[in-house]
Short mmCIF file of all heavy atoms in Angstrom, two decimals:
data_model
loop_
_atom_site.label_atom_id
_atom_site.label_comp_id
_atom_site.label_asym_id
_atom_site.label_seq_id
_atom_site.Cartn_x
_atom_site.Cartn_y
_atom_site.Cartn_z
N ASN Y 18 -55.34 9.02 -24.96
CA ASN Y 18 -54.12 8.70 -24.21
C ASN Y 18 -53.05 8.21 -25.18
O ASN Y 18 -53.37 7.23 -25.98
CB ASN Y 18 -54.35 7.67 -23.11
CG ASN Y 18 -55.20 8.22 -22.00
OD1 ASN Y 18 -54.76 9.16 -21.33
ND2 ASN Y 18 -56.40 7.65 -21.83
N LEU Y 19 -51.88 8.80 -25.19
CA LEU Y 19 -50.77 8.32 -26.01
C LEU Y 19 -49.72 7.76 -25.05
O LEU Y 19 -49.19 8.50 -24.23
CB LEU Y 19 -50.20 9.47 -26.78
CG LEU Y 19 -51.18 10.23 -27.74
CD1 LEU Y 19 -50.58 11.48 -28.28
CD2 LEU Y 19 -51.63 9.32 -28.87
N PHE Y 20 -49.48 6.46 -25.17
CA PHE Y 20 -48.55 5.79 -24.25
C PHE Y 20 -47.14 5.73 -24.82
O PHE Y 20 -46.97 5.80 -26.06
CB PHE Y 20 -49.06 4.39 -23.94
CG PHE Y 20 -50.40 4.36 -23.28
CD1 PHE Y 20 -51.58 4.15 -24.04
CD2 PHE Y 20 -50.53 4.60 -21.94
CE1 PHE Y 20 -52.82 4.19 -23.44
CE2 PHE Y 20 -51.79 4.62 -21.31
CZ PHE Y 20 -52.91 4.41 -22.06
N THR Y 21 -46.18 5.61 -23.97
CA THR Y 21 -44.76 5.69 -24.41
C THR Y 21 -44.40 4.46 -25.30
O THR Y 21 -43.43 4.54 -26.02
CB THR Y 21 -43.82 5.67 -23.18
OG1 THR Y 21 -44.10 4.58 -22.31
CG2 THR Y 21 -43.99 6.99 -22.38
N ASP Y 22 -45.14 3.34 -25.17
CA ASP Y 22 -44.83 2.18 -26.01
C ASP Y 22 -45.45 2.25 -27.35
O ASP Y 22 -45.41 1.31 -28.13
CB ASP Y 22 -45.23 0.90 -25.27
CG ASP Y 22 -46.73 0.80 -25.04
OD1 ASP Y 22 -47.49 1.74 -25.44
OD2 ASP Y 22 -47.17 -0.20 -24.43
N GLY Y 23 -46.09 3.39 -27.70
CA GLY Y 23 -46.69 3.58 -29.05
C GLY Y 23 -48.23 3.26 -29.09
O GLY Y 23 -48.85 3.50 -30.11
N GLN Y 24 -48.79 2.69 -28.05
CA GLN Y 24 -50.19 2.40 -28.05
C GLN Y 24 -51.00 3.67 -27.81
O GLN Y 24 -50.50 4.64 -27.24
CB GLN Y 24 -50.55 1.39 -26.98
CG GLN Y 24 -49.86 0.06 -27.16
CD GLN Y 24 -50.34 -0.91 -26.11
OE1 GLN Y 24 -51.50 -1.23 -26.01
NE2 GLN Y 24 -49.38 -1.38 -25.32
N GLU Y 25 -52.25 3.69 -28.29
CA GLU Y 25 -53.17 4.78 -28.16
C GLU Y 25 -54.49 4.30 -27.63
O GLU Y 25 -54.91 3.19 -27.96
CB GLU Y 25 -53.40 5.51 -29.49
CG GLU Y 25 -52.26 6.19 -30.12
CD GLU Y 25 -52.58 6.86 -31.42
OE1 GLU Y 25 -53.78 7.10 -31.72
OE2 GLU Y 25 -51.64 7.15 -32.18
N GLU Y 26 -55.14 5.18 -26.90
CA GLU Y 26 -56.53 4.83 -26.42
C GLU Y 26 -57.33 6.09 -26.46
O GLU Y 26 -56.90 7.12 -25.99
CB GLU Y 26 -56.42 4.29 -24.96
CG GLU Y 26 -57.82 4.03 -24.36
CD GLU Y 26 -57.70 3.71 -22.90
OE1 GLU Y 26 -57.46 4.60 -22.08
OE2 GLU Y 26 -57.87 2.49 -22.59
N SER Y 27 -58.54 6.01 -27.08
CA SER Y 27 -59.41 7.15 -27.14
C SER Y 27 -60.72 6.73 -26.48
O SER Y 27 -61.29 5.67 -26.75
CB SER Y 27 -59.74 7.57 -28.56
OG SER Y 27 -58.50 8.04 -29.18
N ILE Y 28 -61.21 7.60 -25.62
CA ILE Y 28 -62.46 7.37 -24.88
C ILE Y 28 -63.41 8.45 -25.34
O ILE Y 28 -63.18 9.63 -25.05
CB ILE Y 28 -62.28 7.36 -23.35
CG1 ILE Y 28 -61.25 6.29 -23.02
CG2 ILE Y 28 -63.61 7.08 -22.66
CD1 ILE Y 28 -60.72 6.40 -21.57
N PHE Y 29 -64.52 8.08 -26.01
CA PHE Y 29 -65.46 9.07 -26.55
C PHE Y 29 -66.57 9.38 -25.50
O PHE Y 29 -66.85 8.54 -24.67
CB PHE Y 29 -66.06 8.59 -27.86
CG PHE Y 29 -64.96 8.50 -28.95
CD1 PHE Y 29 -64.27 7.33 -29.16
CD2 PHE Y 29 -64.72 9.58 -29.76
CE1 PHE Y 29 -63.26 7.21 -30.11
CE2 PHE Y 29 -63.72 9.49 -30.74
CZ PHE Y 29 -62.95 8.33 -30.88
N PRO Y 30 -67.21 10.52 -25.64
CA PRO Y 30 -68.22 10.89 -24.73
C PRO Y 30 -69.40 9.87 -24.59
O PRO Y 30 -69.99 9.73 -23.52
CB PRO Y 30 -68.79 12.23 -25.23
CG PRO Y 30 -67.62 12.82 -26.00
CD PRO Y 30 -66.91 11.59 -26.61
N ASP Y 31 -69.64 9.15 -25.68
CA ASP Y 31 -70.76 8.14 -25.62
C ASP Y 31 -70.30 6.82 -24.94
O ASP Y 31 -71.08 5.91 -24.86
CB ASP Y 31 -71.30 7.89 -27.02
CG ASP Y 31 -70.33 7.13 -27.91
OD1 ASP Y 31 -69.17 6.86 -27.52
OD2 ASP Y 31 -70.76 6.79 -29.08
N GLY Y 32 -69.02 6.74 -24.51
CA GLY Y 32 -68.56 5.56 -23.84
C GLY Y 32 -67.76 4.60 -24.75
O GLY Y 32 -67.19 3.60 -24.31
N THR Y 33 -67.74 4.88 -26.05
CA THR Y 33 -66.98 4.07 -26.99
C THR Y 33 -65.51 4.20 -26.68
O THR Y 33 -65.03 5.31 -26.47
CB THR Y 33 -67.26 4.44 -28.45
OG1 THR Y 33 -68.68 4.28 -28.71
CG2 THR Y 33 -66.47 3.64 -29.45
N ILE Y 34 -64.80 3.09 -26.70
CA ILE Y 34 -63.31 3.12 -26.46
C ILE Y 34 -62.64 2.52 -27.66
O ILE Y 34 -62.96 1.44 -28.11
CB ILE Y 34 -62.96 2.32 -25.18
CG1 ILE Y 34 -63.68 2.92 -23.96
CG2 ILE Y 34 -61.45 2.29 -24.99
CD1 ILE Y 34 -63.54 2.11 -22.70
N VAL Y 35 -61.63 3.23 -28.18
CA VAL Y 35 -60.84 2.74 -29.29
C VAL Y 35 -59.39 2.58 -28.81
O VAL Y 35 -58.81 3.57 -28.30
CB VAL Y 35 -60.87 3.71 -30.53
CG1 VAL Y 35 -60.00 3.21 -31.62
CG2 VAL Y 35 -62.33 3.86 -30.99
N ARG Y 36 -58.84 1.38 -29.01
CA ARG Y 36 -57.44 1.14 -28.67
C ARG Y 36 -56.67 0.78 -29.92
O ARG Y 36 -57.14 -0.08 -30.65
CB ARG Y 36 -57.37 0.02 -27.63
CG ARG Y 36 -57.94 0.44 -26.26
CD ARG Y 36 -57.72 -0.69 -25.23
NE ARG Y 36 -58.25 -0.30 -23.93
CZ ARG Y 36 -59.49 -0.55 -23.57
NH1 ARG Y 36 -60.33 -1.20 -24.33
NH2 ARG Y 36 -59.95 -0.09 -22.36
N ILE Y 37 -55.52 1.44 -30.10
CA ILE Y 37 -54.71 1.16 -31.27
C ILE Y 37 -53.34 0.59 -30.74
O ILE Y 37 -52.68 1.27 -29.92
CB ILE Y 37 -54.48 2.40 -32.15
CG1 ILE Y 37 -55.85 2.92 -32.62
CG2 ILE Y 37 -53.53 2.04 -33.32
CD1 ILE Y 37 -55.78 4.25 -33.42
N GLN Y 38 -52.98 -0.57 -31.22
CA GLN Y 38 -51.72 -1.18 -30.83
C GLN Y 38 -50.59 -0.76 -31.70
O GLN Y 38 -50.82 -0.09 -32.77
CB GLN Y 38 -51.85 -2.72 -30.91
CG GLN Y 38 -52.97 -3.32 -30.16
CD GLN Y 38 -52.95 -3.01 -28.67
OE1 GLN Y 38 -51.89 -3.07 -28.06
NE2 GLN Y 38 -54.08 -2.62 -28.09
N ARG Y 39 -49.37 -1.01 -31.29
CA ARG Y 39 -48.18 -0.56 -32.01
C ARG Y 39 -48.18 -1.13 -33.46
O ARG Y 39 -47.68 -0.49 -34.39
CB ARG Y 39 -46.93 -0.96 -31.30
CG ARG Y 39 -46.71 -0.06 -30.08
CD ARG Y 39 -45.50 -0.49 -29.32
NE ARG Y 39 -44.39 -1.08 -30.05
CZ ARG Y 39 -43.47 -1.84 -29.56
NH1 ARG Y 39 -43.49 -2.17 -28.30
NH2 ARG Y 39 -42.51 -2.34 -30.33
N ASP Y 40 -48.71 -2.32 -33.61
CA ASP Y 40 -48.76 -2.92 -34.98
C ASP Y 40 -49.86 -2.40 -35.87
O ASP Y 40 -50.01 -2.78 -37.03
CB ASP Y 40 -48.86 -4.45 -34.89
CG ASP Y 40 -50.20 -4.91 -34.27
OD1 ASP Y 40 -51.10 -4.07 -33.96
OD2 ASP Y 40 -50.37 -6.14 -34.15
N GLY Y 41 -50.62 -1.41 -35.38
CA GLY Y 41 -51.68 -0.80 -36.16
C GLY Y 41 -53.03 -1.42 -35.97
O GLY Y 41 -54.07 -0.92 -36.44
N SER Y 42 -53.12 -2.60 -35.31
CA SER Y 42 -54.40 -3.22 -35.08
C SER Y 42 -55.20 -2.37 -34.13
O SER Y 42 -54.69 -1.68 -33.27
CB SER Y 42 -54.27 -4.66 -34.58
OG SER Y 42 -53.66 -4.65 -33.30
N LYS Y 43 -56.55 -2.43 -34.31
CA LYS Y 43 -57.41 -1.51 -33.55
C LYS Y 43 -58.55 -2.33 -32.92
O LYS Y 43 -59.11 -3.22 -33.57
CB LYS Y 43 -57.99 -0.50 -34.53
CG LYS Y 43 -58.94 0.52 -33.92
CD LYS Y 43 -59.65 1.42 -34.92
CE LYS Y 43 -58.76 2.05 -35.98
NZ LYS Y 43 -59.52 2.96 -36.84
N THR Y 44 -58.89 -2.01 -31.67
CA THR Y 44 -59.96 -2.65 -30.98
C THR Y 44 -60.97 -1.51 -30.65
O THR Y 44 -60.55 -0.47 -30.10
CB THR Y 44 -59.56 -3.36 -29.68
OG1 THR Y 44 -58.53 -4.33 -29.99
CG2 THR Y 44 -60.71 -4.06 -29.02
N ILE Y 45 -62.23 -1.71 -30.95
CA ILE Y 45 -63.27 -0.70 -30.64
C ILE Y 45 -64.29 -1.41 -29.77
O ILE Y 45 -64.84 -2.44 -30.14
CB ILE Y 45 -63.96 -0.19 -31.93
CG1 ILE Y 45 -62.95 0.38 -32.92
CG2 ILE Y 45 -65.01 0.85 -31.60
CD1 ILE Y 45 -63.47 0.62 -34.31
N GLU Y 46 -64.52 -0.82 -28.61
CA GLU Y 46 -65.56 -1.30 -27.66
C GLU Y 46 -66.69 -0.30 -27.70
O GLU Y 46 -66.52 0.85 -27.26
CB GLU Y 46 -64.96 -1.50 -26.27
CG GLU Y 46 -63.85 -2.55 -26.23
CD GLU Y 46 -63.19 -2.63 -24.86
OE1 GLU Y 46 -63.72 -2.04 -23.92
OE2 GLU Y 46 -62.16 -3.28 -24.82
N PHE Y 47 -67.85 -0.73 -28.18
CA PHE Y 47 -69.03 0.16 -28.27
C PHE Y 47 -69.81 0.13 -26.98
O PHE Y 47 -69.76 -0.88 -26.27
CB PHE Y 47 -69.86 -0.23 -29.46
CG PHE Y 47 -69.21 -0.13 -30.79
CD1 PHE Y 47 -68.56 -1.17 -31.36
CD2 PHE Y 47 -69.19 1.14 -31.44
CE1 PHE Y 47 -67.92 -1.07 -32.56
CE2 PHE Y 47 -68.55 1.26 -32.66
CZ PHE Y 47 -67.91 0.20 -33.26
N ASN Y 48 -70.56 1.16 -26.71
CA ASN Y 48 -71.31 1.23 -25.47
C ASN Y 48 -72.52 0.31 -25.46
O ASN Y 48 -73.13 0.07 -24.47
CB ASN Y 48 -71.76 2.69 -25.18
CG ASN Y 48 -72.65 3.26 -26.25
OD1 ASN Y 48 -73.03 2.58 -27.21
ND2 ASN Y 48 -72.95 4.52 -26.12
N ASN Y 49 -72.85 -0.28 -26.58
CA ASN Y 49 -73.95 -1.25 -26.71
C ASN Y 49 -73.44 -2.73 -26.46
O ASN Y 49 -74.25 -3.63 -26.65
CB ASN Y 49 -74.68 -1.14 -28.03
CG ASN Y 49 -73.79 -1.49 -29.25
OD1 ASN Y 49 -72.64 -1.88 -29.06
ND2 ASN Y 49 -74.34 -1.32 -30.41
N GLY Y 50 -72.17 -2.91 -26.15
CA GLY Y 50 -71.66 -4.22 -25.83
C GLY Y 50 -70.97 -4.88 -27.04
O GLY Y 50 -70.28 -5.87 -26.90
N GLN Y 51 -71.09 -4.28 -28.23
CA GLN Y 51 -70.46 -4.80 -29.37
C GLN Y 51 -68.95 -4.43 -29.30
O GLN Y 51 -68.59 -3.48 -28.72
CB GLN Y 51 -71.06 -4.29 -30.69
CG GLN Y 51 -72.50 -4.77 -30.85
CD GLN Y 51 -73.08 -4.25 -32.16
OE1 GLN Y 51 -72.40 -3.85 -33.09
NE2 GLN Y 51 -74.41 -4.24 -32.22
N ARG Y 52 -68.16 -5.25 -30.00
CA ARG Y 52 -66.73 -5.05 -30.01
C ARG Y 52 -66.23 -5.28 -31.43
O ARG Y 52 -66.72 -6.22 -32.09
CB ARG Y 52 -66.13 -6.05 -29.07
CG ARG Y 52 -64.80 -5.68 -28.56
CD ARG Y 52 -64.30 -6.78 -27.66
NE ARG Y 52 -63.05 -7.18 -28.18
CZ ARG Y 52 -61.99 -7.49 -27.46
NH1 ARG Y 52 -62.07 -7.56 -26.22
NH2 ARG Y 52 -60.87 -7.75 -28.05
N GLU Y 53 -65.32 -4.49 -31.88
CA GLU Y 53 -64.74 -4.69 -33.25
C GLU Y 53 -63.21 -4.77 -33.14
O GLU Y 53 -62.56 -4.07 -32.38
CB GLU Y 53 -65.12 -3.49 -34.11
CG GLU Y 53 -65.70 -3.90 -35.41
CD GLU Y 53 -66.26 -2.74 -36.26
OE1 GLU Y 53 -65.38 -1.94 -36.67
OE2 GLU Y 53 -67.46 -2.65 -36.41
N LEU Y 54 -62.64 -5.64 -34.00
CA LEU Y 54 -61.17 -5.79 -34.06
C LEU Y 54 -60.76 -5.56 -35.51
O LEU Y 54 -61.36 -6.21 -36.42
CB LEU Y 54 -60.78 -7.15 -33.59
CG LEU Y 54 -59.27 -7.51 -33.73
CD1 LEU Y 54 -58.43 -6.55 -32.85
CD2 LEU Y 54 -59.02 -8.94 -33.32
N HIS Y 55 -59.89 -4.64 -35.79
CA HIS Y 55 -59.40 -4.36 -37.12
C HIS Y 55 -57.94 -4.74 -37.16
O HIS Y 55 -57.11 -4.23 -36.35
CB HIS Y 55 -59.48 -2.89 -37.49
CG HIS Y 55 -60.86 -2.36 -37.50
ND1 HIS Y 55 -61.22 -1.19 -38.22
CD2 HIS Y 55 -62.06 -2.75 -36.95
CE1 HIS Y 55 -62.54 -1.00 -38.07
NE2 HIS Y 55 -63.03 -1.88 -37.31
N THR Y 56 -57.52 -5.60 -38.11
CA THR Y 56 -56.14 -5.96 -38.32
C THR Y 56 -55.85 -5.79 -39.86
O THR Y 56 -56.78 -5.40 -40.57
CB THR Y 56 -55.86 -7.42 -37.92
OG1 THR Y 56 -56.43 -8.27 -38.87
CG2 THR Y 56 -56.34 -7.74 -36.53
N SER Y 57 -54.63 -6.07 -40.22
CA SER Y 57 -54.29 -5.90 -41.62
C SER Y 57 -54.95 -7.05 -42.44
O SER Y 57 -55.06 -6.94 -43.68
CB SER Y 57 -52.80 -5.91 -41.86
OG SER Y 57 -52.24 -7.11 -41.31
N GLN Y 58 -55.41 -8.13 -41.80
CA GLN Y 58 -56.00 -9.27 -42.51
C GLN Y 58 -57.52 -9.25 -42.55
O GLN Y 58 -58.14 -9.80 -43.42
CB GLN Y 58 -55.53 -10.60 -41.95
CG GLN Y 58 -54.11 -10.97 -42.15
CD GLN Y 58 -53.18 -10.34 -41.13
OE1 GLN Y 58 -53.56 -10.15 -39.98
NE2 GLN Y 58 -52.00 -9.90 -41.55
N PHE Y 59 -58.13 -8.67 -41.49
CA PHE Y 59 -59.62 -8.76 -41.39
C PHE Y 59 -60.14 -7.67 -40.46
O PHE Y 59 -59.39 -7.02 -39.71
CB PHE Y 59 -60.03 -10.12 -40.91
CG PHE Y 59 -59.52 -10.49 -39.48
CD1 PHE Y 59 -60.15 -9.98 -38.37
CD2 PHE Y 59 -58.36 -11.21 -39.32
CE1 PHE Y 59 -59.69 -10.30 -37.09
CE2 PHE Y 59 -57.85 -11.49 -38.05
CZ PHE Y 59 -58.51 -11.07 -36.94
N LYS Y 60 -61.49 -7.53 -40.51
CA LYS Y 60 -62.22 -6.75 -39.54
C LYS Y 60 -63.27 -7.71 -38.96
O LYS Y 60 -63.96 -8.42 -39.65
CB LYS Y 60 -62.95 -5.58 -40.21
CG LYS Y 60 -62.03 -4.51 -40.64
CD LYS Y 60 -62.83 -3.32 -41.26
CE LYS Y 60 -61.87 -2.26 -41.77
NZ LYS Y 60 -62.53 -1.17 -42.44
N ARG Y 61 -63.31 -7.78 -37.62
CA ARG Y 61 -64.25 -8.66 -36.93
C ARG Y 61 -65.09 -7.86 -35.98
O ARG Y 61 -64.63 -7.05 -35.20
CB ARG Y 61 -63.40 -9.73 -36.20
CG ARG Y 61 -64.30 -10.67 -35.34
CD ARG Y 61 -63.47 -11.72 -34.65
NE ARG Y 61 -62.90 -12.56 -35.66
CZ ARG Y 61 -61.69 -13.10 -35.68
NH1 ARG Y 61 -60.90 -12.91 -34.62
NH2 ARG Y 61 -61.24 -13.85 -36.68
N ARG Y 62 -66.44 -8.21 -36.03
CA ARG Y 62 -67.36 -7.59 -35.00
C ARG Y 62 -67.91 -8.73 -34.20
O ARG Y 62 -68.39 -9.71 -34.69
CB ARG Y 62 -68.46 -6.84 -35.71
CG ARG Y 62 -69.43 -6.30 -34.69
CD ARG Y 62 -70.16 -5.11 -34.95
NE ARG Y 62 -69.58 -3.88 -35.41
CZ ARG Y 62 -70.07 -2.70 -35.24
NH1 ARG Y 62 -71.15 -2.54 -34.50
NH2 ARG Y 62 -69.54 -1.63 -35.74
#
């Protein structure tokens, strides 16, 4: 999904969801309950 405000969301067949914000930061929600956040300063799981 490409939203008009510049955000993006991808939903993969395995249930993983990736959201990208306008500032480039990324959130990944895995189907095993883990979550990842990527920013320009760090990556956090």
Side-chain angles (χ1 to χ4, degrees):
N18 291 297
L19 303 169
F20 298 98
T21 55
D22 63 2
Q24 295 183 64
E25 294 181 17
E26 175 186 74
S27 295
I28 304 166
F29 294 90
D31 70 356
T33 300
I34 300 172
V35 177
R36 292 185 180 91
I37 301 174
Q38 304 302 317
R39 286 178 30 204
D40 65 4
S42 64
K43 182 188 309 185
T44 304
I45 305 167
E46 295 175 13
F47 297 95
N48 61 5
N49 62 5
Q51 295 181 19
R52 201 181 126 140
E53 231 174 67
L54 176 63
H55 296 202
T56 71
S57 57
Q58 289 84 35
F59 61 83
K60 289 182 183 176
R61 174 176 295 143
R62 177 150 313 204

